[in-house]
Amino acid sequence: MDNQYRYTDEELIARFQKGDEQAYIELVNRYRDRLINFAYRFVNNEEQAEDVVQDTLLKLYTHRHYYRNIAKFSTWIYTIAGNLAKTELRKRKRHKVTNLSQMGREEREYDLPAAEIESGQIVEGQYAERQIQIAIQTLPLHFRTVIILRDIQELSYEEISNIVDVPLGTVKSRINRARLQLQKALKDLK
Amino acid sequence: MDRYQFEDLISEYIEGELSQSKRREFENYLDDHDDCRAQVESLRTLLLSLHQLSPRPVSADFMPKLLKRIEAEKTRITSGRISSIKLPNTILGFTPAYAGLMGAVLLAIVMVAVQLIPDRPGVITPSRVIARNTTEPVEALPVLELESDLAKNEDSAIDSTDVPKTLPEHDFPGGMILVKDQE
């Protein structure tokens, strides 16, 4: 992926570490869209996804010297984004628990899912995407992370292994089980 | 091959990572199980759909917002550096009140430690110096002389100026001997 660029990601971060702010802008341009897709699939909310990516890129700026050229830059930036996305979900869960505890029983029963399907107004492709997005949210976090990184972000098994910090074999079996679970979730949604 | 083995290998089969022998075994199993073949096809379609999910664009104000946050962060770091230049309001890392308290406790410990040092004959220790200073006036008192003086004239007033320059050598183990005890 880096072949189309003049500098690799690792060269850019090295330049940025030496004070070249233009290298930072180049890295932001390269990763902004990829990270927003990753974060959106993870937290299922555009605003929160954007906050996650903003925080990730700000962290890249403030913590640039923490990067060591022993891992790929993409691994490092996805690790930061993944951790921030998980934090965002935890915050939301706490908030949700608080809100639910303040609601009456009836209100809780009529609480609609976040991704409501507006029948008749959505074309088939969008409908399918929506269903997939809902199904992804049903997966446990460790499954959700690996399936987004592998099947949406198209990272290699090795990279995913480094990002989630588990052995390669575990990643492979986790992705396989995540796919089967996603398949089942989609079947149940239909 | 059973159903569990089939499910374990399904991703590797789709991604073409199975060895030839395993692949043949897997396909033989598919030939015998139509539902499994349908599952493989369904998963293949799902993976294709995941690859083709439409990308989410960032909002129009994404970059200005990010650059604004970076500027704010730069300002915060700079002001943080300036404030860190200010002299710390501490003594060796302690607040003045805490440092004073620690000092008092330390002094008390030293005083107690000095009192606990055992006395040895011929060795001048701080406690011995203190003891000598407090007993010197007592040694100067002419206890035995007073005895004889009192014997001569019990009513006569005791005057320290009557104390002879040279006192007979008496042993004073343990302190003062009272006249009453002598009797």
Side-chain angles (χ1 to χ4, degrees), chain A residues 24 32 36-37 40-41 46 50 54-55 58 61-62 129 150-151 154 157 176 179-180 183 186, chain B residues 7-8 10-11 15 39 42-43 46-47 51 53-56 59 62-63 69-70 73-74:
Chain A
Y24 171 74
R32 186 182 53 191
I36 204 86
N37 277 299
Y40 173 71
R41 300 295 166 200
E46 284 181 9
E50 202 155 302
Q54 285 263 341
D55 291 348
L58 186 66
Y61 189 91
T62 55
E129 268 199 24
R150 177 65 187 168
D151 294 329
E154 299 181 22
Y157 284 114
N176 188 48
R179 283 169 176 171
L180 292 173
Q183 195 179 29
L186 277 166
Chain B
E7 287 193 344
D8 278 347
I10 192 165
S11 284
E15 292 180 343
Q39 191 180 353
S42 159
L43 189 57
L46 171 61
L47 296 185
H51 290 315
L53 283 176
S54 48
R56 317 298 300 189
S59 64
F62 183 88
M63 279 310 279
R69 287 184 71 184
I70 287 170
E73 191 63 28
K74 276 183 192 171

Side-chain angles (χ1 to χ4, degrees), chain B:
Chain B
M1 182 175 286
D2 58 23
R3 179 86 194 185
Y4 292 111
Q5 286 171 317
F6 157 75
E7 287 193 344
D8 278 347
L9 297 175
I10 192 165
S11 284
E12 285 180 73
Y13 174 74
I14 288 172
E15 292 180 343
E17 288 188 353
L18 285 181
S19 64
Q20 271 200 335
S21 60
K22 275 277 177 198
R23 187 175 184 85
R24 207 172 302 123
E25 195 184 342
F26 192 90
E27 283 172 346
N28 287 340
Y29 184 82
L30 291 185
D31 289 340
D32 297 340
H33 299 84
D34 288 344
D35 58 326
C36 292
R37 185 176 289 282
Q39 191 180 353
V40 170
E41 289 316 309
S42 159
L43 189 57
R44 230 191 270 274
T45 311
L46 171 61
L47 296 185
L48 197 66
S49 304
L50 287 172
H51 290 315
Q52 290 172 346
L53 283 176
S54 48
R56 317 298 300 189
V58 292
S59 64
D61 65 340
F62 183 88
M63 279 310 279
K65 205 170 148 190
L66 178 64
L67 295 175
K68 201 174 164 188
R69 287 184 71 184
I70 287 170
E71 283 308 312
E73 191 63 28
K74 276 183 192 171
T75 314
R76 196 186 64 79
I77 292 167
T78 314
S79 60
R81 274 190 194 140
I82 290 166
S83 66
S84 69
I85 292 166
K86 282 195 284 184
L87 286 172
N89 189 23
T90 57
I91 301 164
L92 296 174
F94 297 106
T95 60
Y98 195 63
L101 184 68
M102 293 292 284
V105 169
L106 199 65
L107 191 66
I109 291 169
V110 170
M111 293 293 283
V112 170
V114 163
Q115 292 300 319
L116 290 176
I117 296 171
D119 291 349
R120 284 186 200 159
V123 178
I124 298 170
T125 62
S127 61
R128 180 160 292 194
V129 170
I130 294 164
R132 185 187 289 173
N133 289 341
T134 52
T135 54
E136 261 172 6
V138 177
E139 280 180 14
L141 283 173
V143 178
L144 292 177
E145 287 299 321
L146 278 172
E147 262 180 65
S148 55
D149 288 346
L150 284 169
K152 286 173 189 170
N153 184 8
E154 286 182 11
D155 296 329
S156 63
I158 300 166
D159 191 349
S160 61
T161 53
D162 293 333
V163 177
K165 297 289 178 199
T166 55
L167 288 171
E169 284 187 17
H170 293 291
D171 196 11
F172 287 92
M176 192 186 291
I177 299 167
L178 298 174
V179 175
K180 194 177 157 190
D181 296 339
Q182 286 287 313
E183 287 168 352

Side-chain angles (χ1 to χ4, degrees), chain A residues 7-17 23 26-27 30:
Chain A
Y7 296 110
T8 64
D9 294 344
E10 290 69 30
E11 283 167 343
L12 281 176
I13 183 72
R15 289 173 74 96
F16 178 44
Q17 284 174 332
E26 177 62 28
L27 283 171
R30 278 186 198 183

Side-chain angles (χ1 to χ4, degrees), chain A residues 14 34 44 95 113 124 140 164 182:
Chain A
R34 276 188 260 176
N44 192 31
H95 186 65
E124 200 184 332
V164 297
L182 184 67

